[in-house]
Amino acid sequence: MSTTGGTADPLVALGALPGVAGSVESVRKAVDRVYGHRIMRRRSNVITSEAALRGARGSAALSGADWALEEVRRRTDFRGDDEARTVGAALRLTAEAGQLLSVWRQSPLRVLARLHLVAAADESDQVGRPRQRGEAVDEPLVERPLPDAGEVSGRLDGLAELIIAGSSAPALVTAAVVHGELLALRPFVSHNGLVARVAQRIVLIGSGLDPKSVCPAEVGHAELGRAAYLAAFDGYLSGTPEGMAAWIAHCGRAAELGARESTAVCEALQRGAA
């Protein structure tokens, strides 16, 4: 992760980049619209469940398993081909995210290891720990330079220190950095994209921005498309102020679209109750 300025909190410096404040405000307004909907007062658990399903579908789509929502809803067995296993992994991760909030701020690396274990769902000795020297990474949809195991270890420690220390930066900024850094490092031998996106979800929930987890940014990332996702990610990798701001703005737009999705679900439920 690249930082700008001399502040002791690099996340605050990123939050001060041109255009980032506008993204933060837009996300806040979109989230407030969902939480202010009358359906949320009576059926928030339904919106949370639907957001989890749609978020998992969106994350799986970015990892190459672009299934229709109703197919994801209908299926009960995800042990088939690679696409089925990817969708199953995304669903398991989304279900697990809410169970790990209390651990995240004290031990984010432990949470990340747990997320990989849940995603991989096997007993290989490569599962649930950062990759070691010489181990290959199965992440074909993110074809960017891969840091070596030593760099991964150091940068993971740095990311964990930032999370544990806490920050006054907006939740969107922290979530975007966590997402971007994990995608850049690809610290595990597989499922890194899925883990990075659910880690963004955990930050947005735990920060209080989206405490009921009803604004699935993964939906927005999928809607914006893989090409736009990777182009914005290249901005993160560049480490330049412009590139970092573009990545944060992209994550913000994805969160807005996720909020819009849940607002539409609220509207549909309201029509059905009328």
Side-chain angles (χ1 to χ4, degrees), residues 34-35 40 43-59 69 73 90-91 94-95 201 205 210 212-220 258-259 261-263 265-266 269:
V34 180
Y35 279 84
M40 281 294 293
R43 302 186 68 182
S44 64
N45 59 325
V46 176
I47 307 303
T48 296
S49 296
E50 191 65 21
L53 183 73
R54 293 173 186 236
R57 192 218 74 82
S59 191
L69 179 63
R73 196 190 306 278
L91 288 167
T94 302
R201 173 185 283 265
I205 299 169
D210 181 20
K212 294 183 182 293
S213 189
V214 296
C215 301
E218 303 96 324
V219 168
E261 182 90 353
S262 286
T263 300
V265 173
C266 287
L269 287 172

Side-chain angles (χ1 to χ4, degrees), residues 186-202:
R186 279 147 286 162
F188 303 108
V189 296
S190 63
H191 300 93
N192 291 287
L194 295 177
V195 169
R197 290 185 287 276
V198 83
Q200 174 179 322
R201 173 185 283 265
I202 288 172

Side-chain angles (χ1 to χ4, degrees), residues 115-140:
L115 291 173
H116 185 244
L117 187 67
V118 168
D122 69 44
E123 298 180 357
S124 163
D125 63 4
Q126 295 181 318
V127 170
R129 61 156 175 80
R131 56 187 168 85
Q132 298 175 359
R133 187 184 305 273
E135 290 181 337
V137 174
D138 181 14
E139 204 74 41

Side-chain angles (χ1 to χ4, degrees), residues 93-209:
L93 284 173
T94 302
E96 188 76 7
Q99 311 302 315
L100 299 172
L101 294 172
S102 62
V103 184
W104 174 255
R105 288 188 178 177
Q106 286 74 42
S107 186
L109 298 186
R110 179 180 160 197
V111 169
L112 292 173
R114 173 62 184 169
L115 291 173
H116 185 244
L117 187 67
V118 168
D122 69 44
E123 298 180 357
S124 163
D125 63 4
Q126 295 181 318
V127 170
R129 61 156 175 80
R131 56 187 168 85
Q132 298 175 359
R133 187 184 305 273
E135 290 181 337
V137 174
D138 181 14
E139 204 74 41
L141 299 174
V142 184
E143 297 175 350
R144 301 297 186 268
L146 192 67
D148 64 30
E151 183 178 350
V152 167
S153 178
R155 286 173 62 176
L156 278 178
D157 286 344
L159 182 63
E161 289 171 8
L162 278 177
I163 294 166
I164 292 168
S167 175
S168 60
L172 171 64
V173 173
T174 304
V177 167
V178 168
H179 183 170
E181 191 70 355
L182 292 174
L183 205 60
L185 295 177
R186 279 147 286 162
F188 303 108
V189 296
S190 63
H191 300 93
N192 291 287
L194 295 177
V195 169
R197 290 185 287 276
V198 83
Q200 174 179 322
R201 173 185 283 265
I202 288 172
V203 173
L204 294 177
I205 299 169
S207 68
L209 177 64

Side-chain angles (χ1 to χ4, degrees), residues 23-24 26-31 33-34 171-172 175 200 204 209-210 214-222 224 247-263:
S23 294
V24 169
S26 293
V27 170
R28 168 55 68 187
K29 289 180 178 177
V31 172
R33 279 193 292 273
V34 180
L172 171 64
Q200 174 179 322
L204 294 177
L209 177 64
D210 181 20
V214 296
C215 301
E218 303 96 324
V219 168
H221 284 301
L224 292 168
W247 170 250
I248 295 168
H250 186 84
C251 289
R253 181 58 179 153
E256 286 182 62
L257 291 171
R260 186 182 71 178
E261 182 90 353
S262 286
T263 300

